[in-house]
Amino acid sequence: MNRGTQRTEQLAERAARLVGTDAGLARRTAQQATAAARAAGDGRSAALALRAHGRAALELGQLAEATQALREAVREAERAREPRAAAEARITLAYALSERGRTADALRQLDRAAEVLRGQAAAPMFMQRGLVLWRCGRTDEALLA
């Protein structure tokens, strides 16, 4: 990992850590990290920063912004050939879609994430699937998830 990539990854990780404590600062930091990662040609860090941006936007109640950032995160991760990062972004995207009442789209995103994630890494996907299914009244399936 070169110095530029290391810096952009650290900035993206900082944005992710800030989401739970200062969503506004997390969003600004994520935007800076995205710009820096793209300038450095670091698709993985750009995807991580965009996911942090989406999570921050969710915290701020900005569902459309969150959905857009998370879709970009998936695209960046796929372009960077980072399937796990794409799958993790899809899990968060599924939450945003569910919050917007688009449960079928949310479940499709979770199905795509399930193609990649295995073992312990799949746990957040199963939890999110259960929440989405519960929201649309499919309680028995939710409990199985």
Side-chain angles (χ1 to χ4, degrees):
M1 178 182 301
N2 68 42
R3 180 170 253 154
T5 301
Q6 189 175 25
R7 182 186 164 285
T8 57
E9 186 172 327
Q10 288 171 344
L11 196 54
E13 289 171 354
R14 180 172 185 261
R17 283 191 308 273
L18 285 166
V19 170
T21 57
D22 188 339
L25 180 58
R27 179 169 55 182
R28 291 188 300 277
T29 303
Q31 289 167 330
Q32 292 170 350
T34 300
R38 285 177 169 164
D42 181 1
R44 181 178 183 282
S45 293
L48 297 175
L50 284 160
R51 183 173 180 224
H53 179 172
R55 290 178 51 226
L58 283 168
E59 288 291 320
L60 295 167
Q62 303 297 319
L63 297 177
E65 178 183 341
T67 303
Q68 179 181 346
L70 293 163
R71 286 189 188 283
E72 285 183 53
V74 170
R75 283 192 296 272
E76 283 284 351
E78 288 177 340
R79 273 195 295 270
R81 292 185 174 92
E82 293 284 345
R84 182 168 175 169
E88 290 170 348
R90 287 181 188 283
I91 294 168
T92 311
L93 175 58
Y95 176 77
L97 291 168
S98 176
E99 286 294 300
R100 297 181 79 182
R102 298 177 55 194
T103 54
D105 291 337
L107 290 170
R108 277 192 289 279
Q109 292 298 325
L110 293 168
D111 287 344
R112 297 282 307 274
E115 294 170 5
V116 174
L117 301 172
R118 297 286 178 261
Q120 199 170 21
M125 183 272 306
F126 286 114
M127 181 189 72
Q128 190 62 49
R129 180 181 299 284
L131 291 172
V132 172
L133 290 167
W134 175 76
R135 275 194 113 158
C136 52
R138 295 164 60 180
T139 309
D140 290 341
E141 291 174 81
L143 291 171
L144 289 174

